[in-house]
Amino acid sequence: MAKKSVYIAYTGGTIGMRPGKDGYRPAPGFLADRMAASPELRRPEMPRYEIHEYQPLLDSSNMTPGDWVKIGRDLYANYHDYDGFIVLHGTDTMAYSAAALSFMFDNLAKPVLFTGSQVPLAEIRSDARENLVNSLLIAAGYAIPEVCLFVGHLLLRGNRATKVSADRYLAFESPNHPPLGEAQVDLKIHRQRLLPRPSGTIGFTDVGRPQVIDIRLFPGITAELLRRLLAPPLQGVVLHTYGVGNAPDDPELLEALRQATADGVVVVNCTQCLHGSVQMDSYATGRALRRAGVISGYDMTPEAALTKLYVLLSKHSDAGEVRRLMGRNLRGELTHGRR
Ligand code: ASP
């Protein structure tokens, strides 16, 4: 049987960095050389892989929606030639890029795995080796029709993942969805948790430049500040509210939100809590938000809500359609109802 082959898009991140005078920096060619010199990647049970190194290699803190488009177009152009795909990416904004790509692809039938590391591959105590070896085995060996993230032994749905630790190897969690797989003594993929295999052909949507922001409520936020943030040409907001989706029921603040939604801004309510779902009918303060035209983000991560807004606002000019689709489960990113 022919060896499976995996396409690796190397975008940057700690995994391939080298220490320099001013701290860790990506260095062209360095990661590919290191990988070529790794005996474990040449073992017969490993798939063939091809690395496409991006220029410039980025610390993922510098990524923009334009980079999601670059990665997505690259994978789309190579889609039919490989069995699976790995995106080597910095961990800082990996959850955003993984979520964005999950919404940009239609009918994805092959695995796309984002991975990286907290410590560069070149260092003795690096987590990169484990992440790379497991990602290659999963991308080549399992029919996973999803964009996923593999870091620190867990395979997570990309649009459910969030970075929760700056200094642990297990840097990501998927707080409202169980892992899709685990690399323990055995490599276990939970098939019943995967999205169904699509029947249509692969499609891809570019993201344009919709005006989208994140606003985190805090005690003391004023209507005046909110009005300034919500001013045109804004099109979409992820509003990080308290608990099950509550905000102060100060009439002026609510009026600022009502005015924005009446002007066509899509305001999505996501909780600041890591676990659980927005339930806007539980408290008077949540109901007031609903009356102001704010829609529920249910249990979406803020990363998923923000990138979904980017993609939907790039695809649809009608704010009503964007509002409707924001509340629908498109790629396994949200669960309706009380958990
Ligand atoms: N700053 C790095 C990045 O996101 C951190 C990492 O890769 O872990 O590119």
Side-chain angles (χ1 to χ4, degrees):
M1 212 170 63
K3 259 198 176 220
K4 298 278 176 105
S5 61
V6 175
Y7 183 81
I8 303 182
Y10 170 35
T11 70
T14 297
I15 190 161
M17 290 191 189
R18 209 165 49 179
K21 281 198 299 300
D22 53 351
Y24 283 121
R25 271 189 178 284
F30 184 64
L31 180 79
D33 290 350
R34 282 278 165 170
M35 284 177 66
S38 298
E40 60 270 43
L41 298 183
R42 288 202 304 256
R43 288 176 59 125
E45 57 270 50
M46 295 306 286
R48 278 195 309 114
Y49 64 84
E50 193 168 315
I51 305 183
H52 173 204
E53 182 175 290
Y54 284 24
Q55 274 190 348
L57 289 167
L58 290 179
D59 185 304
S60 77
S61 320
N62 288 319
M63 290 248 178
T64 66
D67 294 297
W68 307 336
V69 173
K70 181 173 170 181
I71 299 167
R73 280 191 190 161
D74 181 18
L75 304 190
Y76 186 55
N78 287 285
Y79 186 75
H80 295 291
D81 300 332
Y82 295 85
D83 299 293
F85 300 84
I86 292 178
V87 182
L88 297 179
H89 192 290
T91 59
D92 287 347
T93 66
M94 187 184 283
Y96 290 91
S97 299
L101 283 230
S102 78
F103 299 119
M104 289 161 87
F105 278 112
D106 291 312
N107 298 318
L108 183 74
K110 296 182 180 182
V112 172
L113 262 72
F114 276 73
T115 193
S117 67
Q118 296 276 62
V119 177
L121 181 64
E123 299 290 338
I124 184 106
R125 290 191 58 253
S126 175
D127 49 333
R129 247 165 251 103
E130 293 308 308
N131 290 343
L132 261 176
V133 167
N134 285 310
S135 295
L136 276 162
L137 290 171
I138 296 170
Y142 297 85
I144 301 174
E146 303 204 24
V147 178
C148 308
L149 186 152
F150 183 92
V151 172
H153 87 255
L154 289 182
L155 181 73
L156 306 175
R157 176 164 296 153
N159 57 36
R160 291 285 196 163
T162 191
K163 185 169 178 180
V164 293
S165 177
D167 58 7
R168 292 199 181 157
Y169 288 140
L170 191 53
F172 289 85
E173 269 180 29
S174 163
N176 290 321
H177 197 274
L180 302 181
E182 278 159 74
Q184 304 285 2
V185 171
D186 294 316
L187 194 52
K188 182 150 183 52
I189 304 298
H190 302 288
R191 288 177 202 279
Q192 73 287 3
R193 295 180 187 162
L194 301 178
L195 291 177
R197 215 182 139 71
S199 49
T201 49
I202 184 82
F204 178 72
T205 309
D206 273 0
V207 169
R209 294 176 176 230
Q211 301 294 310
V212 172
I213 58 169
D214 241 8
I215 301 177
R216 187 180 165 93
L217 293 181
F218 56 92
I221 189 166
T222 61
E224 201 208 327
L225 174 62
L226 203 56
R227 254 194 307 276
R228 268 190 270 142
L229 292 171
L230 296 172
L234 193 67
Q235 293 171 271
V237 181
V238 178
L239 189 67
H240 298 235
T241 57
Y242 307 126
V244 289
N246 302 314
D249 54 8
D250 160 20
E252 271 197 68
L253 202 124
L254 290 169
E255 176 52 23
L257 287 167
R258 196 202 59 75
Q259 188 61 57
T261 61
D263 290 345
V265 179
V266 182
V267 185
V268 187
N269 187 351
C270 284
T271 174
Q272 295 180 11
C273 300
L274 192 56
H275 296 267
S277 181
V278 162
Q279 306 280 345
M280 277 160 84
D281 290 328
S282 297
Y283 293 88
T285 44
R287 287 182 192 212
L289 282 181
R290 193 189 287 292
R291 280 197 299 277
V294 174
I295 56 173
S296 178
Y298 300 94
D299 59 353
M300 269 189 287
T301 59
E303 293 91 329
L306 188 91
T307 55
K308 190 173 173 182
L309 268 178
Y310 263 106
V311 176
L312 293 179
L313 287 167
S314 303
K315 236 178 173 171
H316 306 279
S317 52
D318 174 23
E321 181 66 355
V322 175
R323 288 167 61 88
R324 189 181 72 78
L325 291 172
M326 279 307 292
R328 284 211 14 215
N329 178 15
L330 302 181
R331 300 284 187 275
E333 74 281 10
L334 62 79
T335 321
H336 285 124
R338 200 175 275 281
R339 300 175 59 81

